[in-house]
Amino acid sequence: MIIMFKKRDNIKEVEEGKYLSPKFDQNDLIPVVTTDSQTGGILMHGYMNYEAFKKTIETKEAHYWSRSRKKIWHKGQISGFVQKVKEIRIDDDQDSIWMSVDIGGGASCHVGYRSCFYRSIPLGKIKNEEKLEMEFVDKKKTFDPKKVYKDEPNPTKL
Amino acid sequence: MIIMFKKRDNIKEVEEGKYLSPKFDQNDLIPVVTTDSQTGGILMHGYMNYEAFKKTIETKEAHYWSRSRKKIWHKGQISGFVQKVKEIRIDDDQDSIWMSVDIGGGASCHVGYRSCFYRSIPLGKIKNEEKLEMEFVDKKKTFDPKKVYKDEPNPTKL
């Protein structure tokens, strides 16, 4: 079935070979880190299944597997913030993907920020029973999620 | 037990609050993307359990959970390529981490490259039964893994 990948039968080839032989995890997913081709910063961390990965390569628009909605997710279908794929790389043991995308002046985070990573964790010695208080490194939302998503359910799960 | 985190009892607080409330997955791990504080590029994609996360915050040196070795992994313990943590961010639903580290003139990838992401995947229409041939975007190794790791087992699994 998986005809676009080389079989993983040799560690040397997986690490140093030229053929794509990705490893999907126990849920048939591979983690994907998406960076902003304009700023270089990380926009989001998601997952792809085989179909999402193939669609992304072929259409050059990011498709993910939504774990909360349990379906293929063509990013931007609702919000309009489509991710145009500039480059995709894979790591040494071929079990994670780095994708660089162009989102123009848009956003990537359903909360309204350009990047999902808008909070920074304090570093250093932790006192007992202390809750860690983060800093908002991105203070301004790019869009209003209430206006964009209307009655769509929030994908965040507790 | 997990005293440094706020309980995840409210989606609004998880997304827009200032308290750290990370979500660990079914294996008690959280995915971590590590970028190079000098170049901005992605060095590696790994995982932390609670203990590795706490040690990283407290010591400001990257600790991961090695899934192949099934133990805490103080990065650089064998190779000497310790990762000095400059910043840690968490994403909107607090289930993935972005860490920026300084590795000086060192490397991050056990195959010998500075970054684990040294191969780029071709984009566009895929022909039937075609194996995808990648391009080496990083052609030069930073170190010789045979000299550095000697008889250590290779962490890559098929």
Side-chain angles (χ1 to χ4, degrees):
Chain A
M1 214 277 287
I2 299 184
I3 51 177
M4 68 200 243
F5 303 139
K6 190 180 178 311
K7 193 160 172 258
R8 290 170 68 89
D9 48 14
N10 175 322
I11 287 179
K12 175 97 180 162
E13 271 184 14
V14 166
E15 289 184 344
E16 313 240 23
K18 64 185 179 183
Y19 290 112
L20 184 61
S21 320
K23 183 176 192 168
F24 292 86
D25 69 12
Q26 68 225 63
N27 302 314
D28 297 320
L29 301 176
I30 189 165
V32 181
V33 186
T34 306
T35 58
D36 185 330
S37 65
Q38 293 172 66
T39 69
I42 299 185
L43 291 170
M44 57 180 281
H45 180 283
Y47 294 86
M48 288 178 183
N49 62 358
Y50 170 72
E51 190 190 342
F53 192 22
K54 186 159 187 264
K55 278 195 170 165
T56 300
I57 291 172
E58 292 209 312
T59 65
K60 300 182 199 174
E61 290 190 352
H63 292 70
Y64 300 90
W65 175 258
S66 168
R67 293 176 306 162
S68 51
R69 297 181 215 114
K70 297 189 174 44
K71 60 178 185 181
I72 294 276
W73 164 34
H74 181 192
K75 178 81 181 159
Q77 229 167 2
I78 295 170
S79 66
F81 300 133
V82 168
Q83 299 181 336
K84 299 281 182 189
V85 178
K86 308 313 279 184
E87 187 177 2
I88 306 181
R89 294 193 195 179
I90 201 157
D91 73 338
D92 45 15
D93 57 353
Q94 303 207 30
D95 70 354
S96 64
I97 290 167
W98 168 11
M99 183 162 68
S100 169
V101 302
D102 185 353
I103 57 167
S108 175
C109 172
H110 75 278
V111 177
Y113 297 98
R114 184 168 174 99
S115 159
C116 296
F117 293 86
Y118 45 84
R119 288 170 296 186
S120 182
I121 296 169
L123 302 177
K125 202 68 196 159
I126 299 164
K127 284 193 219 96
N128 253 3
E129 301 195 36
E130 180 188 39
K131 303 234 177 326
L132 294 187
E133 202 172 313
M134 300 185 285
E135 184 193 344
F136 279 72
V137 282
D138 194 354
K139 291 181 180 71
K140 209 173 157 297
K141 291 193 182 184
T142 303
F143 70 96
D144 179 350
K146 283 197 203 88
K147 283 186 190 154
V148 168
Y149 294 112
K150 299 190 179 78
D151 297 329
E152 283 292 315
N154 187 325
T156 294
K157 303 288 173 217
L158 288 177
Chain B
M1 215 276 287
I2 300 185
I3 51 177
M4 68 200 244
F5 304 139
K6 189 179 180 311
K7 192 159 170 259
R8 290 171 69 90
D9 47 15
N10 175 322
I11 286 179
K12 175 96 180 163
E13 272 184 13
V14 166
E15 289 183 344
E16 314 240 23
K18 63 184 179 184
Y19 289 112
L20 184 60
S21 320
K23 184 175 191 168
F24 293 85
D25 68 13
Q26 69 225 61
N27 301 313
D28 296 320
L29 300 176
I30 188 165
V32 181
V33 186
T34 305
T35 59
D36 186 330
S37 65
Q38 293 171 64
T39 68
I42 299 185
L43 291 172
M44 57 180 281
H45 180 284
Y47 294 86
M48 288 178 184
N49 63 358
Y50 170 72
E51 190 190 343
F53 193 20
K54 187 160 186 264
K55 279 196 171 164
T56 300
I57 291 173
E58 292 210 310
T59 64
K60 300 182 199 174
E61 291 191 351
H63 292 70
Y64 300 90
W65 176 258
S66 168
R67 293 176 306 163
S68 52
R69 296 180 215 117
K70 297 189 174 44
K71 60 178 186 180
I72 296 276
W73 164 35
H74 180 192
K75 178 81 181 160
Q77 229 168 2
I78 296 170
S79 66
F81 301 134
V82 168
Q83 299 181 335
K84 299 282 182 188
V85 178
K86 308 312 279 184
E87 187 177 1
I88 305 181
R89 294 193 194 179
I90 200 157
D91 73 339
D92 46 14
D93 57 353
Q94 303 206 29
D95 69 354
S96 64
I97 290 168
W98 169 11
M99 183 162 68
S100 170
V101 302
D102 184 354
I103 57 167
S108 175
C109 171
H110 75 280
V111 178
Y113 296 99
R114 184 169 174 98
S115 159
C116 295
F117 293 86
Y118 45 84
R119 287 170 296 186
S120 183
I121 296 169
L123 303 177
K125 202 68 196 160
I126 299 163
K127 283 192 220 99
N128 254 2
E129 302 195 34
E130 180 188 39
K131 302 232 177 327
L132 295 186
E133 201 171 314
M134 301 185 285
E135 184 192 345
F136 279 72
V137 282
D138 193 355
K139 291 180 181 73
K140 209 175 156 296
K141 292 193 182 183
T142 302
F143 70 97
D144 179 350
K146 282 198 204 89
K147 283 187 190 152
V148 169
Y149 293 112
K150 299 189 179 79
D151 296 330
E152 282 292 316
N154 187 324
T156 294
K157 303 287 173 219
L158 288 177

